[in-house]
Amino acid sequence: MLGRSLLHLLIVALQLGSALAAPAATTPTIRLDSATFQGTSDGTTNKFLGIPFAKPPTGDLRFRLPVSNDPYTGTPVATSYGPACPQQEFKLPLPDGVVTDAIDFLVNKVYNVITPSSEDCLTLNVVTPTGVAAGSKLPVVVWIFGGGFEIGGTNIYDGGVIVKRSIQLGEPVVYVSMNYRVSAFGFLAGQQVKDAGVGNLGLQDQRQALRWIQKYIAAFGGDPTKVTIWGESAGAISVALHMLANGGNTEGLFRGGFMQSGSPIPVGDITHGQKYYDDIVTRTKCSGASDTLQCLRQVPYNTLKAAVDDSPGLFAPQSLSLAWLPRADGVFLRDAPQSLVSQGSVANIPFVTGDCDDEGTLFALSSLNVTTSAQVANYFSTYFVPTASSADIDNIMKLYPSDITKGSPFDTGIFNAITPQFKRIAAILGDLVFQAPRRFFLEQRSGKQNTWVFRKWFSFASAATKTSSEMDFYHTIVSKKLKIVPILGSLHGSDILNVYGPGDMTDYLINFVNNLDPNGKTGISWPKYTTASPQILTFSDDLFNPLAISTDTYRKDAMSFVTTLSLANPI
């Protein structure tokens, strides 16, 4: 759920200086309420950045539902992104070497440099084609960034890429992205949170931004009846959860969903996070307060931030068994997400969903000290399925054998085995949290609504299937930029480059936003998914065969079992 590929972060960092230096061609304006917002333009797109969509969640509004802004006044300057919401610091319990150095540099150095943060962070950004007038009724695509519900911001992603490509295709769109509270600031858990009705605040922030779009997007030339929500990783999970919220009633806020590496996840009640709440209460010295939640609202920001930073993060040993993530709170999510799917509490809208082939490799780096089969069994029974029987754990071990040629990165033979159990753990993590929930969601909705499914495959992961010239090209272009990519295969987040590149996925996205069907003038025909014909579109890095149709039946028995297990053992 990291929410962006490490390669993407590096490319952004290298290009940041030139991007910031690009001059504005004009000074576009937009009228909202009694205010005239001043944006920026490059001659093809207009951008209005850092527009507040809710009151700052500071002071007594900390750990409360988002509150609508007062009507806008004055002449606000909207030419720079607003700060991201408070980011959780990563602590990396990994051995020294290129993997540790790369992640530490990219996440804790590069990422923090390009993503300034503040508790006053609820802003959004709108990108439009230049010259589009109010009332033009263009379809709207709303980007929800990922980051494991712990980090993330909007300024990493250039919505202008999407809008420019939409203009080239003759299918112009309006692009919107929003910040939302992450980590404990947005996903505090525990009985106290449930009793106060303030769970899943990050999702509530997103919902508030969607309401803002309904009120104001027509002024930018967008059509509030043609909104598609789109996200990657935590952002894709968010899209799925918006589809499950409110009994599946979208409230007219969106008409389609596009999900990259995220589905209704195997989580349970919000009280499952009680130990993390209690830990923060202790660290902030709120234990003696009669109302610990109100005490947390009043502690100094730096004190609270330090306590949050000490909670388990994405690269803690427990990895994807996250401390802070959406859970059933009785308000936004009335039940566990996968239970809601089983109950049919799903918005009846078209959607696209898919995963990268090696979703688990990045997160398996947290368990490099797990090197025996017994330790693997203990690892999963401790962090992911604590009430599973020994027979269930034994079955996982059989379905995901220790044979390194069967693990992830898949189809890489004996290569990429950082430890004797790394590829095995990566395979289980990728299926448990990403691949199996996606397939479960699709199977449950087959025949009920239009769906399309994709797979991102890292075709250069195995030297055995490539010519020497192809591998030379790959190592020159990719490997020298970030050495860990070949080790991790089609890692989580690598599909972002397929859409923000722009790439083939960009066109499919734009088609879907316009027509609720990803097929259009470019690419190969993408068939709908059904259980009777589970066809899947594969995006790859193969220069000669980048798009292909296959069937979504791989690891069928293994995924079916981990789905059954996760339904009985939600995190």
Side-chain angles (χ1 to χ4, degrees):
M1 304 176 196
L2 185 60
R4 61 204 48 82
S5 72
L6 298 178
L7 177 58
H8 180 65
L9 278 178
L10 183 59
I11 292 172
V12 169
L14 295 174
Q15 295 177 342
L16 186 63
S18 59
L20 293 178
T26 60
T27 304
T29 60
I30 201 80
R31 186 77 172 173
L32 303 179
D33 299 327
S34 298
T36 301
F37 283 80
Q38 300 177 26
T40 184
S41 176
D42 60 9
T44 304
T45 63
N46 292 342
K47 295 181 180 180
F48 297 89
L49 309 176
I51 302 173
F53 67 85
K55 291 185 176 180
T58 57
D60 195 55
L61 292 183
R62 180 193 286 169
F63 297 130
R64 293 194 189 277
L65 297 174
V67 178
S68 298
N69 277 327
D70 295 327
Y72 297 112
T73 60
T75 55
V77 176
T79 58
S80 60
Y81 292 95
C85 294
Q87 310 284 286
Q88 182 166 337
E89 179 184 350
F90 285 132
K91 296 177 173 61
L92 305 171
L94 305 176
D96 291 336
V98 66
V99 171
T100 306
D101 294 344
I103 294 176
D104 180 64
F105 173 73
L106 290 170
V107 176
N108 288 331
K109 306 297 192 304
V110 171
Y111 184 77
N112 285 343
V113 168
I114 63 178
T115 311
S117 63
S118 167
E119 213 173 350
D120 180 359
C121 59
L122 298 184
T123 62
L124 54 70
N125 317 288
V126 182
V127 184
T128 72
T130 298
V132 170
S136 296
K137 295 188 176 182
L138 298 184
V140 181
V141 59
V142 181
W143 168 249
I144 306 175
F145 63 79
F149 300 104
E150 293 179 1
I151 63 172
T154 59
N155 69 328
I156 295 177
Y157 306 97
D158 181 9
V161 170
I162 308 300
V163 176
K164 288 177 181 178
R165 181 57 182 162
S166 75
I167 296 170
Q168 293 171 353
L169 290 175
E171 296 185 347
V173 302
V174 172
Y175 170 100
V176 181
S177 61
M178 87 285 281
N179 282 324
Y180 60 94
R181 283 172 283 182
V182 294
S183 192
F185 291 88
F187 295 95
L188 197 65
Q191 187 66 53
Q192 295 86 341
V193 176
K194 186 174 187 178
D195 292 343
V198 293
N200 295 317
L201 292 176
L203 295 176
Q204 295 282 12
D205 293 342
Q206 296 168 12
R207 203 81 167 184
Q208 181 64 26
L210 293 173
R211 296 188 186 100
W212 184 98
I213 290 169
Q214 289 298 303
K215 183 176 181 179
Y216 291 110
I217 204 63
F220 296 88
D223 188 339
T225 70
K226 296 180 179 178
V227 174
T228 295
I229 52 176
W230 159 49
E232 188 270 341
S233 190
I237 295 168
S238 297
V239 170
L241 298 183
H242 282 290
M243 292 175 62
L244 306 184
N246 199 30
N249 181 359
T250 67
E251 303 175 90
L253 297 176
F254 54 95
R255 67 169 188 165
F258 200 104
M259 290 160 274
Q260 297 178 231
S261 298
S263 304
I265 49 176
V267 294
D269 193 77
I270 197 169
T271 55
H272 288 193
Q274 188 68 48
K275 63 182 179 181
Y276 305 115
Y277 178 93
D278 294 342
D279 180 66
I280 283 185
V281 166
T282 298
R283 292 179 186 277
T284 55
K285 297 182 169 42
C286 283
S287 299
S290 58
D291 185 341
T292 55
L293 184 57
Q294 185 61 25
C295 180
L296 290 177
R297 293 190 179 106
Q298 297 169 345
V299 298
Y301 168 74
N302 289 338
T303 301
L304 178 60
K305 178 65 163 58
V308 172
D309 286 344
D310 282 336
S311 61
L314 272 170
F315 292 104
Q318 68 194 68
S319 187
L320 290 172
S321 182
L322 300 174
W324 314 114
L325 77 173
R327 291 184 170 97
D329 61 345
V331 178
F332 193 92
L333 295 173
R334 298 173 185 171
D335 203 344
Q338 291 186 321
S339 295
L340 290 173
V341 172
S342 297
Q343 296 162 23
S345 177
V346 181
N348 188 16
I349 60 173
F351 68 87
V352 174
T353 184
D355 288 293
C356 300
D357 215 29
D358 300 302
E359 293 283 2
T361 52
L362 184 65
F363 308 106
L365 295 175
S366 300
S367 53
L368 296 183
N369 62 326
V370 179
T371 58
T372 68
S373 290
Q375 289 173 338
V376 172
N378 182 66
Y379 176 75
F380 282 98
S381 63
T382 299
Y383 292 124
F384 291 92
V385 286
T387 63
S389 68
S390 57
D392 286 337
I393 297 298
D394 288 343
N395 200 22
I396 290 180
M397 303 297 281
K398 291 177 183 176
L399 290 166
Y400 295 90
S402 60
D403 181 352
I404 60 175
T405 67
K406 307 290 187 183
S408 179
F410 296 106
D411 304 316
T412 59
I414 63 172
F415 300 102
N416 304 322
I418 302 174
T419 72
Q421 300 293 329
F422 169 76
K423 294 179 71 174
R424 183 188 210 177
I425 294 170
I428 300 173
L429 285 176
D431 283 358
L432 179 66
V433 179
F434 296 100
Q435 300 272 10
R438 172 193 54 75
R439 187 175 290 168
F440 172 73
F441 191 32
L442 285 165
E443 290 174 347
Q444 290 289 311
R445 303 311 300 169
S446 175
K448 300 180 176 70
Q449 59 206 99
N450 291 335
T451 62
W452 293 263
V453 61
F454 72 85
R455 178 186 186 186
K456 171 63 190 297
W457 177 51
F458 190 67
S459 61
F460 289 106
S462 174
T465 62
K466 298 299 166 189
T467 66
S468 59
S469 59
E470 286 176 329
M471 288 307 296
D472 288 344
F473 172 83
Y474 164 69
H475 284 296
T476 299
I477 301 301
V478 178
S479 183
K480 288 184 179 179
K481 289 182 179 178
L482 190 60
K483 294 180 180 178
I484 68 169
V485 171
I487 298 173
L488 303 183
S490 183
L491 77 163
H492 179 73
S494 57
D495 57 332
I496 292 179
L497 295 177
N498 287 74
V499 66
Y500 274 104
D504 294 317
M505 194 180 292
T506 317
D507 291 7
Y508 286 116
L509 168 69
I510 292 166
N511 294 335
F512 184 78
V513 173
N514 274 272
N515 308 309
L516 296 180
D517 185 325
N519 292 291
K521 303 172 186 176
T522 61
I524 65 174
S525 178
W526 188 349
K528 294 177 186 176
Y529 172 96
T530 65
T531 51
S533 180
Q535 297 187 76
I536 186 169
L537 173 62
T538 297
F539 295 86
S540 78
D541 299 295
D542 193 316
L543 296 177
F544 308 104
N545 298 290
L547 299 172
I549 301 296
S550 57
T551 55
D552 184 23
T553 55
Y554 52 93
R555 299 191 299 283
K556 183 176 181 178
D557 291 342
M559 285 196 213
S560 178
F561 181 73
V562 296
T563 295
T564 300
L565 207 56
S566 66
L567 285 168
N569 295 268
I571 297 171

